[in-house]
Amino acid sequence: MSSISKAVIVFSGGQDSTTCLFQAMAHYDEVHAITFDYGQRHKQEINQAQFLAKKLNVASHKIMDVSLLNELAISALTRDSIPVSHTLMENGLPNTFVPGRNILFLTLAGIYAYQLGAETVITGVCETDFSGYPDCRNDFVKAMNSALVQGMDYKLNIVTPLMWLDKAETWALADKYQALETVRNDSLTCYNGIVGDGCGDCPACDLRLKGLYHYLHNKEEVMHSLEEKIRAEMA
C-alpha cells in the first residue's frame, strides 16, 4: 500500500460535499472526486461539481453515468413531472428521496477506492439535520462499510465528517477552512437547480439558508459547538 494518503469523495457539488472536499484537501495527499449522473432533476449540479473540482485542483474527477437508477427509482428528483413537495409521503419520507441512491453511490465509490488504492471514502451525509432520508443515517453507513470491507476483502473506511453536525455547524466547518464564500456562492444545493442561495423555496434551500442565517448571527457560539464535536469525535 502506498504511503501517500488517498481519499475518494462522493461529490455532488452541493454544500455538504463541497465542505467535505475542502476539509479533505487539507488532510489527504490525494483527493479523488466521483460524481454520479443519474438523470437528476438538478442536473446543473454536475456542472458545478466539475467547476469546483477544477478550482480546487483535485487529483482526479470521475463522472459516472448511473442512469439505470433513474429507471428504477421514481422520485421528485428523478421525474420532472413530480413537483418537489414540503409534505411527507404516506410512508413518512420526503418525495425527493431516491431509494437505493446512497447504496449505489457508496458501492461504486468503494470500488473506485479499491482501484486507486485509497483506504478512505468520504460522504457528506448527515443524521443530525438531514432531510428524512434513511440512507443518510449512521447505522446505514456502518452497515455499508462492513459490507464493502467483507465483499472486497479490503481495508476501507467510510468517513462522514458531517454526520453529527447541524447545518449551522456545517457552515462553521466551511468557515474553518476559509471556504464559506466559495461554498455559499459556488455550490448547488437547490432542488430546482439554482446555484448559490438557490430558489429559497424548496426544502433543501430552506434548510441551507436557515443554517447559514443562524451561523452568521451566532458565529462564536456555533464555532464553539463545532470544535466541541470535533474534539469528541477525535477522543
Side-chain angles (χ1 to χ4, degrees), residues 4-12 17 20-21 24-25 28-36 58-62 64 105-124 148 152 154 156-161:
I4 297 174
S5 61
K6 300 179 184 179
V8 169
I9 181 167
V10 178
F11 187 53
S12 70
S17 63
C20 288
L21 178 56
M25 296 292 288
Y28 295 90
D29 297 318
E30 287 185 11
V31 179
H32 301 264
I34 185 167
T35 299
F36 299 102
V58 298
S60 70
H61 184 207
K62 179 181 284 293
M64 290 203 68
F105 288 4
L106 289 176
T107 298
L108 295 174
I111 296 169
Y112 189 42
Y114 182 102
Q115 182 185 67
L116 293 171
E119 293 187 349
T120 302
V121 168
I122 300 168
T123 179
L148 288 168
M152 297 192 297
Y154 182 71
L156 185 71
N157 187 32
I158 300 177
V159 175
T160 54

Side-chain angles (χ1 to χ4, degrees), residues 171 184 197-200 204-214:
W171 283 112
R184 180 173 185 179
D197 288 341
C199 70
C205 283
D206 187 45
L207 191 63
R208 171 178 164 134
L209 289 174
K210 280 181 179 176
L212 177 61
Y213 181 85
H214 182 67

